[in-house]
Amino acid sequence: MCVSYQSSAQTAVEESERMFTEMMRSIERRRSEVTELIRAQEKAEVSRAEGLLKRLEQEIAELKRRDAEMKQLSLTEDPIQFLTTFSSVSNPPQSKNLSCITVSQSLSFDAVTKSVSTLKKLLEDICKQDIMKIPAAGCTYPQTHTHTQHVHMFHHTHTTNAYPNTHAHTHCCHFTLDLNTAHTLLHLSEGNRRVERRDEVQSYPDHPDRFDECRQVLCREGVSGRCYWEVEWSGRWVGIAVSYKSISRKGEGAKCVFGCNDQSWSLLLSSSSSSFWHNNKETELPLVASSRIGVYVDHRAGTLAFYSISDTMTLLHRVHTTFTHTLYPGFRLTFTPSSVKLL
């Protein structure tokens, strides 16, 4: 089941990446178009102003030339020469009427800036509203809901408030049991994803990580982020736990048993009772009838939750604490026959 969740999640991620890439390309095209419009307007206005300036400079030069000629003419003592020259100098130059031409002292693009700013805010609001509709990874599971509805919602992109949040299923993790930690009365099978309590001693080599007295085993992979997994259990007094790797492996005292120390947290199940254990303190729970258990960890948030999985998905117990090290799933199988299988 986790594989199908992971496949659906990967498909959703890839599709989201593709659509976001297309949106960014579209925005980039619009950005280029707006830039081109601004530059075109700038070029037109600058060209217009430069043309006007050139005409003004030409007229000023002509007026200066005529002014110099008039000064020179004023020094002429010959009246006939004065009258002859004055008629040509006194005629005003042919000038275009520039009084109707106005030049803005500060060409403004405020309207463009305002439009882009409005578009930016609108886009941000749309994104914020739509993203809020997506189930957030940090939300809390409901106390009870149908397991089939969880699966249905996870496999569909468009969700409604009628369905609960499925943050756990989006963080499915794959674990394998660590043979080097398994007690010699525990038999591993199915690719080290199933453990069974047996009376026959298994021929495991000596290893410093092995539990030598407690019938326990840890997984090879640890949890340092968000992670969800499910197991199927059977038998008597089965412990489903998470533990720091530093838990003691030697002896059978509280320092080694899952849930009986500050290194581990354990859900203890049997056909007649259910309880949660941490630091040797017990919290009694309602009897769990389901053989399927879901575990969710948000390491950074300090959240650990256990769920009973059947036609309904029911919260059994939740812990809020501070995890200081990587957590490793672990199992305790006290009596024969007992078994746990990672799903």
Side-chain angles (χ1 to χ4, degrees):
M1 181 175 291
C2 276
V3 173
S4 64
Y5 292 150
Q6 290 171 325
S7 176
S8 297
Q10 182 61 29
T11 300
V13 168
E14 292 174 356
E15 184 66 13
S16 298
E17 289 288 343
R18 183 186 65 79
M19 289 187 286
F20 272 112
T21 299
E22 289 180 359
M23 283 193 292
M24 287 187 288
R25 288 174 179 171
S26 177
I27 291 173
E28 179 62 25
R29 287 194 297 270
R30 300 299 176 265
R31 184 197 66 80
S32 298
E33 290 173 1
V34 171
T35 300
E36 289 177 3
L37 287 173
I38 293 174
R39 293 304 181 193
Q41 185 177 354
E42 174 194 28
K43 184 177 180 180
E45 291 297 331
V46 170
S47 177
R48 177 172 171 271
E50 287 177 344
L52 177 59
L53 180 61
K54 185 176 181 180
R55 291 198 298 271
L56 289 172
E57 289 174 345
Q58 290 174 347
E59 291 204 9
I60 290 172
E62 178 64 19
L63 289 172
K64 286 182 177 180
R65 184 187 66 78
R66 296 174 69 84
D67 181 64
E69 290 180 353
M70 291 292 289
K71 288 181 179 179
Q72 184 66 31
L73 182 61
S74 65
L75 299 177
T76 302
E77 296 180 355
D78 185 350
I80 296 175
Q81 183 182 359
F82 177 85
L83 292 173
T84 303
T85 306
F86 179 77
S87 60
S88 62
V89 175
S90 61
N91 292 328
Q94 296 296 321
S95 174
K96 294 183 178 180
N97 182 16
L98 302 178
S99 61
C100 63
I101 300 177
T102 59
V103 179
S104 175
Q105 297 297 318
S106 57
L107 185 61
S108 175
F109 293 95
D110 289 345
V112 177
T113 304
K114 185 177 180 180
S115 296
V116 174
S117 178
T118 301
L119 179 61
K120 172 178 174 290
K121 186 177 185 303
L122 180 62
L123 183 60
E124 288 177 345
D125 290 343
I126 291 174
C127 289
K128 185 182 296 183
Q129 291 171 8
D130 285 352
I131 288 175
M132 287 176 65
K133 298 176 184 178
I134 301 174
C139 294
T140 304
Y141 255 117
Q143 299 295 320
T144 304
H145 208 88
T146 62
H147 188 248
T148 53
Q149 283 181 324
H150 278 274
V151 176
H152 173 81
M153 178 183 172
F154 182 78
H155 284 289
H156 289 76
T157 302
H158 300 289
T159 61
T160 66
N161 292 331
Y163 294 119
N165 189 287
T166 57
H167 69 285
H169 286 164
T170 64
H171 296 281
C172 282
C173 298
H174 181 87
F175 295 103
T176 53
L177 300 167
D178 186 352
L179 183 64
N180 291 330
T181 67
H183 186 273
T184 54
L185 290 179
L186 300 182
H187 174 72
L188 274 55
S189 61
E190 299 185 21
N192 288 351
R193 289 182 57 80
R194 183 178 185 273
V195 56
E196 180 184 4
R197 169 72 163 85
R198 291 188 175 181
D199 292 328
E200 303 84 12
V201 175
Q202 307 299 302
S203 57
Y204 296 149
D206 291 337
H207 198 282
D209 292 341
R210 193 175 309 285
F211 290 100
D212 64 354
E213 294 293 340
C214 295
R215 280 64 165 168
Q216 299 179 162
V217 61
L218 285 170
C219 287
R220 295 174 59 87
E221 300 81 10
V223 179
S224 57
R226 294 191 184 107
C227 188
Y228 175 80
W229 64 98
E230 292 182 358
V231 300
E232 196 168 59
W233 70 280
S234 65
R236 299 185 298 154
W237 297 113
V238 171
I240 300 171
V242 292
S243 172
Y244 296 147
K245 203 170 187 177
S246 55
I247 190 171
S248 179
R249 316 298 172 90
K250 308 306 175 185
E252 56 182 354
K255 64 180 181 179
C256 303
V257 179
F258 290 148
C260 294
N261 46 68
D262 61 0
Q263 302 285 301
S264 58
W265 296 256
S266 179
L267 178 69
L268 189 59
L269 304 171
S270 75
S271 58
S272 59
S273 65
S274 304
S275 59
F276 173 80
W277 287 78
H278 173 63
N279 208 13
N280 213 23
K281 294 180 180 179
E282 180 184 17
T283 302
E284 293 186 359
L285 303 175
L287 181 64
V288 177
S290 174
S291 62
R292 192 168 187 164
I293 300 296
V295 186
Y296 176 70
V297 170
D298 186 336
H299 193 281
R300 180 176 296 181
T303 300
L304 168 65
F306 294 93
Y307 298 90
S308 173
I309 309 296
S310 56
D311 290 337
T312 60
M313 190 171 192
T314 304
L315 177 66
L316 299 175
H317 190 69
R318 182 188 292 114
V319 175
H320 294 291
T321 185
T322 300
F323 297 123
T324 57
H325 302 286
T326 300
L327 294 170
Y328 291 82
F331 306 104
R332 180 186 178 195
L333 296 86
T334 307
F335 300 108
T336 304
S338 299
S339 68
V340 175
K341 179 180 179 180
L342 287 156
L343 301 178

